[in-house]
Amino acid sequence: MLELFKLLGNKRLFILLMGLVLFIGLMGFTIGPRTTLSWPEKFTRDTIGFVQYVFYRPAGYIAGFFEDISTLRSLYEENEQLKTALAHYTRDKAKYNYIEQENERLKNDLHFTEEQRNKYNYEYRIAQVVSVNNDPNNRTLVIDLGARDGVKQNMSVTSAEGLVGIVSQVSNFTSTVKLLTSMDAKDPNSKAIAATALGKENDSFGMIESYDQASGTFIMTKIKETDPLQKGDTIVSSGIGGVFPRGMVIGTVVSRQVGDFGLTNTAQIKPAADFSDWKELFVVFTPEVKE
């Protein structure tokens, strides 16, 4: 008996025996049929559930965040493609009547060269607006395409809606665009636009040389009295002069009146482009003329 007490006095052995008894009792308790969980099991499950909530929920947010970034990138690329397609549609709509009429005249012309066939095959490159100068006397903006991208002085810049301006200065990485709202007939450096009415290209012609700040319209001059131009017509560049490519949408006729000297008419053109909310623009690349 003395030896048994000595044996029980050993703490390690006592703890081992107590653990064995508890283990046997726990097995007997859990093996039997039960309809409810015991409080230790409930506590354990609740603890595990809480830990999972604390760690897995933020992990799910982080994984979802990166997935959203990937989705946004895909949406951005798709957006860029759609904007390019929209710009092409605007261009093609203006060019359609030209092409249809020219095809009839030129399809049998054996001397129609490859360079002439590609003359109006424009390329549009998307540019982001870097900054805007709202000086009323010299409205310009800066885009993120420059000489390294092939941009040159006097290239036309358009939005998806219509013509915006012309490249006035070029650096390696950026370009300055002079807006059409800065046009002034008295300025020798201002580029006038030879224009015509869409669908009436063979009969309508005029020059857009200035912008009226008060009415927010372009002033189209040198319109003949017999010109079929009327209110609601879409005005596009005719391509004469070589600065502005043919078929660029400029705006819509809102009124027509007799000119100052009574020999020709003038018209007010509402711009197609929105000159207040700048996002993406398109630089128009025309085929190079071989020297």
Side-chain angles (χ1 to χ4, degrees):
M1 182 65 71
L2 182 61
E3 292 180 357
L4 178 62
F5 280 109
K6 288 182 179 180
L7 185 63
L8 293 176
N10 190 321
K11 292 183 179 181
R12 292 182 181 180
L13 182 59
F14 179 76
I15 294 173
L16 179 61
L17 290 173
M18 291 298 297
L20 182 61
V21 171
L22 290 174
F23 177 73
I24 294 172
L26 183 61
M27 285 185 61
F29 180 75
T30 56
I31 289 175
R34 294 181 301 129
T35 57
T36 59
L37 297 175
S38 63
W39 73 263
E41 291 174 308
K42 291 180 180 179
F43 176 80
T44 303
R45 290 198 176 190
D46 290 340
T47 302
I48 294 173
F50 177 77
V51 172
Q52 288 177 334
Y53 176 85
V54 170
F55 289 99
Y56 291 169
R57 190 73 175 267
Y61 283 140
I62 294 172
F65 174 76
F66 286 105
E67 185 177 350
D68 290 342
I69 291 177
S70 177
T71 303
L72 285 175
R73 182 175 299 174
S74 299
L75 288 174
Y76 177 81
E77 293 174 355
E78 184 178 350
N79 233 6
E80 296 295 312
Q81 294 173 358
L82 289 174
K83 288 175 181 176
T84 303
L86 179 59
H88 288 173
Y89 172 78
T90 303
R91 175 202 63 185
D92 293 339
K93 179 183 176 183
K95 289 175 58 180
Y96 177 79
N97 288 325
Y98 284 104
I99 296 172
E100 187 178 42
Q101 294 174 13
E102 272 192 338
N103 279 343
E104 293 300 319
R105 292 189 292 106
L106 302 174
K107 63 183 178 181
N108 295 322
D109 190 348
L110 298 177
H111 301 291
F112 192 52
T113 66
E114 186 68 24
E115 182 175 307
Q116 289 171 318
R117 274 192 288 269
N118 294 329
K119 188 175 181 181
Y120 303 111
N121 186 23
Y122 309 145
E123 178 185 353
Y124 289 72
R125 297 185 188 176
I126 296 177
Q128 305 291 333
V129 176
V130 176
S131 63
V132 178
N133 177 16
N134 290 316
D135 183 356
N137 297 320
N138 184 31
R139 289 201 65 190
T140 59
L141 54 83
V142 178
I143 57 177
D144 64 351
L145 293 183
R148 66 168 186 167
D149 304 296
V151 177
K152 297 180 180 179
Q153 196 172 14
N154 291 332
M155 279 186 169
S156 296
V157 178
T158 183
S159 67
E161 291 77 25
L163 197 59
V164 167
I166 190 171
V167 175
S168 58
Q169 295 177 343
V170 181
S171 62
N172 286 333
F173 301 98
T174 61
S175 299
T176 300
V177 179
K178 188 172 184 179
L179 302 181
L180 296 185
T181 53
S182 298
M183 295 180 67
D184 186 353
K186 298 178 182 179
D187 182 2
N189 297 319
S190 181
K191 306 289 186 181
I193 308 174
T196 184
L198 187 63
K200 304 175 181 178
E201 294 83 3
N202 294 330
D203 304 310
S204 182
F205 179 80
M207 296 296 295
I208 297 178
E209 301 175 303
S210 59
Y211 176 80
D212 183 12
Q213 299 286 348
S215 63
T217 58
F218 297 117
I219 306 301
M220 186 173 175
T221 60
K222 299 180 175 60
I223 305 170
K224 293 181 179 180
E225 292 183 1
T226 57
D227 194 306
L229 183 76
Q230 61 184 0
K231 182 178 179 180
D233 284 348
T234 298
I235 300 301
V236 297
S237 55
S238 68
I240 297 175
V243 177
F244 294 92
R246 189 177 72 170
M248 297 288 101
V249 177
I250 300 171
T252 306
V253 178
V254 294
S255 66
R256 175 177 174 173
Q257 52 278 331
V258 178
D260 294 336
F261 301 102
L263 300 176
T264 58
N265 291 178
T266 62
Q268 288 184 306
I269 313 299
K270 181 181 179 181
D274 183 1
F275 288 89
S276 59
D277 185 17
W278 301 112
K279 293 184 177 66
E280 294 84 13
L281 297 176
F282 301 89
V283 180
V284 184
F285 286 74
T286 57
E288 295 287 342
V289 177
K290 296 180 180 179
E291 298 182 357

